[in-house]
Amino acid sequence: MDGQVVDGRGRTLTGAENLEPGTDVWFYRMPAPETPVPGDLRRIYEDDRILVVHKPPFLATTPKGRHITQTVTTILRRSLSNPQLSPVHRLDRLTEGLLILAKHEQYRGAYQRLFEARAVEKRYKALAPFDPAVASNLPTTISNRIVKNVGTLQAHVEDGESNATTAVHGIKPVCAQHSGQEVGEYDLRPATGKTHQLRLHMAQMGIAICNDPLYPTVTTGADEPDDYNSPLRLCCTELSFADPISGTPVKFETTPSWRDRCYR
């Protein structure tokens, strides 16, 4: 078994051992080769409890499916020699921006509960087609019920009690065009964190985020290789909350990768 199977104490098992019922056995398979994701995984802040990074687009947060080694968790655990390092919230693989990780298991729950209790103020920036009709009605708020079923690429809206709310506050002019259309930078402030919430809400407004392969229609398959030249133009730019350990108000900020240059 080439040392890939071990017991709970880390001792290699050969397959000839007699194990007691209920014994924990661990299998460490060799992950398949993965194409390195371009872009920098930048450190924004660090203290004894947390590490805050700017995640580039296309880099998964945690190992899942075909993304094992090219994930924030795996890369940072290896580079920092900290097997306890783990994210305290989600950030979609295609979305860039701020991600908070707990450095020790004892702190993970406290920071996770902040997000579960919606005690974190989040702001995102998104590049999308400029629509004068939309611009004239800002700020506006979208609130509906979003459901994402296992095995489906898209989330969808269905009747029922609202579970997803997004406030769209304004548009910043940018030197940009996308598919021949003028582009604006939208300021998004989600009050909830449903899967694909911002992407679906922007598509519902008729201004789907630039380079979105799923909304309003699916343009790429789940197993197709990523087009690193066309990243989703969505970035988590600000997270603010009262630190659950110290009680001190904190705010972390970053800027989207598309800033200070024309985008096509």
Side-chain angles (χ1 to χ4, degrees):
M1 288 185 267
D2 298 327
Q4 293 179 307
V5 180
V6 301
D7 65 11
R9 297 173 61 182
R11 295 176 300 187
T12 300
L13 301 177
T14 65
E17 295 85 357
N18 293 319
L19 302 178
E20 294 293 328
T23 300
D24 290 328
V25 174
W26 304 87
F27 171 53
Y28 294 93
R29 66 180 176 88
M30 182 65 67
E34 297 177 38
T35 302
V37 173
D40 295 328
L41 183 57
R42 294 190 286 111
R43 297 192 196 187
I44 302 297
Y45 172 82
E46 184 175 4
D47 61 25
D48 292 339
R49 299 185 295 272
I50 60 173
L51 171 64
V52 184
V53 298
H54 181 126
K55 182 187 82 67
F58 300 110
L59 187 65
T61 298
T62 56
K64 183 180 179 181
R66 60 191 175 97
H67 305 287
I68 305 297
T69 60
Q70 287 296 296
T71 64
V72 174
T73 302
T74 301
I75 291 172
L76 291 180
R77 281 182 175 180
R78 288 178 172 178
S79 64
L80 300 176
S81 299
N82 181 0
Q84 293 190 37
L85 192 72
S86 60
V88 300
H89 63 110
R90 296 178 302 167
L91 192 61
D92 188 64
R93 189 178 70 86
L94 297 186
T95 303
E96 68 171 291
L98 294 173
L99 182 68
I100 301 175
L101 301 99
K103 297 176 67 174
H104 303 285
E105 186 176 350
Q106 68 189 90
Y107 300 124
R108 184 188 313 157
Y111 288 93
Q112 286 178 329
R113 285 190 288 273
L114 282 177
F115 288 87
E116 294 168 357
R118 300 178 185 175
V120 179
E121 183 177 337
K122 299 172 285 187
R123 295 183 67 173
Y124 287 70
K125 302 297 183 184
L127 288 187
F130 174 77
D131 186 330
V134 171
S136 65
N137 288 317
L138 296 182
T140 189
T141 298
I142 303 174
S143 186
N144 49 29
R145 182 172 185 80
I146 291 180
V147 175
K148 174 70 165 63
N149 296 321
V150 176
T152 62
L153 294 178
Q154 288 184 318
H156 65 276
V157 174
E158 64 177 33
D159 294 335
E161 182 179 358
S162 173
N163 63 2
T165 300
T166 302
V168 184
H169 276 259
I171 304 176
K172 175 183 176 181
V174 294
C175 174
Q177 283 192 343
H178 180 70
S179 299
Q181 291 182 284
E182 185 180 359
V183 168
E185 184 180 271
Y186 292 78
D187 180 12
L188 310 179
R189 305 182 191 183
T192 54
K194 302 301 290 184
T195 300
H196 295 179
Q197 175 179 319
L198 298 181
R199 298 165 65 181
L200 180 53
H201 279 171
M202 290 290 282
Q204 282 189 299
M205 294 175 66
I207 47 171
I209 298 173
C210 294
N211 297 331
D212 194 327
L214 298 183
Y215 301 94
T217 58
V218 177
T219 59
T220 184
D223 296 326
E224 293 184 29
D226 293 315
D227 181 0
Y228 295 138
N229 293 317
S230 300
L232 178 72
R233 295 303 184 177
L234 177 63
C235 180
C236 177
T237 58
E238 185 177 309
L239 296 172
S240 56
F241 51 89
D243 187 275
I245 308 299
S246 67
T248 304
V250 295
K251 178 188 289 188
F252 303 113
E253 297 178 280
T254 190
T255 56
S257 60
W258 61 78
R259 286 280 179 85
D260 301 324
R261 62 189 176 93
C262 291
Y263 164 67
R264 293 292 184 265

